[in-house]
Amino acid sequence: MLKIYEEPVIEEVYDEITTEKEVRLFIKREDKIHPYISGNKWRKLKYNLEYARQQNFSTLLTFGGAYSNHIYATAAAAKEYGFKSIGIIRGEEHLPLNPTLSFASQQGMHLHYMDRSTYRRKHDTEVIGPLTEKYGRFYLLPEGGTNLLAIKGASEIVNEEVRQFDYVCTPVGTGGTIAGIISGMNGRGRVMGFSALKGDFLKHDVQKLLQLYEKHPLTNWDIKTSYHFGGYAKVSPVLFGFIDEIYKKHQIPLDPIYTGKMMFGIYDMIRSGEFAPKTKILTIHTGGLQGVEGMRR
Ligand SMILES: *Cc1c(COP(=O)(O)O)cnc(C)c1O
């Protein structure tokens, strides 16, 4: 089992705007579950690592960009569990290593760089075959870590306390986390995702994941696609200003790729009156605070 350092608790966020609009805002601090394997990555890895152990794998192999939270978390989880790990990193090597890759390497992860055009075909057998020849037998975690065992783990973000909320909000990258939350809610409340990527395709991706995972259709969810700030990992002074303000007022650290954009979106929706008075909104702090310092310019 991966270790839980701090059981994630739900805190209320009191703000002028929630008072004015008569809504109640809460945050579940999944970011505190582990110092290195934070938030949703801990949830998504848990059953995958148990499965890999049962199947007698000794090596994990996965994919990610140079700033990937998933690479960072997988490296730490592999070390904690006693697996060897290989990270296939998109693009060329840049030295000195950035803080994410330097940490991964310190945890014992072997870094293998892959040019961008090959990386696009990373899950194809023509790419995986040579990796198996080179590294031997490995347990493959897809980019972002999303598969059915990850959805099962993410569904455990939801407990009886979470099921009491009118809205449960989460950032969305590949959709594994929100699929798990939708499953965990099992028809209660509404689940609202905030896309960290530009475009509408994530609704379709989440639909597909749910079809694979759930026997019955669950329709009490939606994905907001207008708070990506220009696209994945795009940032702006307005976004950093918002993140700083939340930290000053509430001592809640947010990251600029996922949780910061979600919270910005929720504040914007509260301000424009999209939630009826007395609505109880829960946000999930999915973690991702590694590498935040490197993003400020
Ligand atoms: C990876 C990540 C997400 C996205 O999770 P998906 O399951 O890929 O949708 C959200 N928040 C944080 C902090 C992350 O690191």
Side-chain angles (χ1 to χ4, degrees):
M1 264 284 278
L2 288 180
K3 219 153 78 189
I4 291 187
Y5 276 74
E6 211 177 306
E7 203 54 66
V9 296
I10 294 177
E11 303 166 356
E12 183 155 7
V13 183
Y14 299 95
D15 209 298
E16 291 94 27
I17 191 71
T18 57
T19 310
E20 186 194 321
K21 300 292 180 184
E22 297 175 54
V23 299
R24 292 180 69 191
L25 181 63
F26 299 79
I27 186 163
K28 184 163 191 248
R29 296 296 302 270
E30 291 275 324
D31 57 310
K32 292 191 173 180
I33 200 166
H34 192 289
Y36 306 124
I37 314 164
S38 84
N40 68 338
K41 300 303 185 281
W42 191 101
R43 301 284 183 187
K44 292 171 78 170
L45 284 166
K46 176 182 162 186
Y47 289 112
N48 274 294
L49 298 204
E50 286 177 14
Y51 179 79
R53 158 93 26 103
Q54 281 163 18
Q55 300 292 314
N56 288 314
F57 283 94
S58 56
T59 304
L60 307 177
L61 180 141
T62 196
F63 302 88
Y67 294 89
S68 164
N69 294 333
H70 170 66
I71 288 287
Y72 188 97
T74 303
K79 184 177 179 201
E80 191 169 306
Y81 242 86
F83 287 112
K84 285 184 229 148
S85 66
I86 299 162
I88 309 296
I89 310 302
R90 183 182 60 229
E92 289 150 32
E93 181 179 38
H94 292 286
L95 293 172
L97 293 178
N98 73 28
T100 304
L101 295 183
S102 154
F103 172 85
S105 168
Q106 280 160 23
Q107 300 298 298
M109 181 176 264
H110 172 75
L111 303 177
H112 172 123
Y113 296 88
M114 188 173 271
D115 69 86
R116 284 161 195 271
S117 74
T118 312
Y119 190 89
R120 261 178 243 124
R121 298 181 283 116
K122 59 189 163 299
H123 297 141
D124 295 357
T125 40
E126 309 92 85
V127 179
I128 301 295
L131 289 173
T132 308
E133 263 163 49
K134 180 159 188 200
Y135 294 115
R137 185 174 179 257
F138 51 75
Y139 182 69
L140 189 144
L141 287 157
E143 186 180 42
T146 288
N147 58 16
L148 295 186
L149 290 174
I151 296 176
K152 178 179 176 186
S155 75
E156 295 178 357
I157 293 172
V158 178
N159 56 21
E160 212 28 58
E161 201 185 353
V162 171
R163 272 185 216 105
Q164 307 307 316
F165 285 87
D166 300 309
Y167 285 90
V168 178
C169 304
T170 183
V172 182
T174 60
T177 303
I178 191 169
I181 292 173
I182 294 164
S183 166
M185 291 298 280
N186 194 25
R188 300 276 296 273
R190 280 200 74 76
V191 181
M192 202 151 68
F194 289 80
S195 179
L197 289 77
K198 197 167 163 171
D200 253 354
F201 61 95
L202 274 171
K203 285 180 195 169
H204 183 247
D205 290 0
V206 172
Q207 195 93 53
K208 279 208 303 212
L209 289 172
L210 282 171
Q211 274 164 13
L212 290 173
Y213 189 74
E214 283 287 337
K215 285 189 205 71
H216 309 291
L218 291 167
T219 55
N220 58 325
W221 61 276
D222 189 20
I223 296 181
K224 299 285 162 197
T225 53
S226 48
Y227 298 108
H228 54 68
F229 283 81
Y232 184 70
K234 297 275 197 301
V235 296
S236 80
V238 170
L239 180 62
F240 279 123
F242 175 78
I243 288 172
D244 290 343
E245 188 189 323
I246 294 293
Y247 189 74
K248 270 196 218 108
K249 273 175 145 167
H250 307 293
Q251 288 72 56
I252 299 169
L254 298 172
D255 82 286
I257 300 181
Y258 293 107
T259 56
K261 290 180 180 178
M262 165 188 68
M263 197 61 101
F264 186 95
I266 292 166
Y267 267 69
D268 187 58
M269 290 177 67
I270 293 175
R271 201 171 292 113
S272 53
E274 291 194 41
F275 299 103
K278 301 222 162 55
T279 302
K280 282 171 70 185
I281 307 158
L282 176 66
T283 60
I284 306 298
H285 196 314
T286 44
L289 297 168
Q290 68 86 17
V292 168
E293 317 88 73
M295 302 231 18
R296 299 209 176 241
R297 337 172 186 176

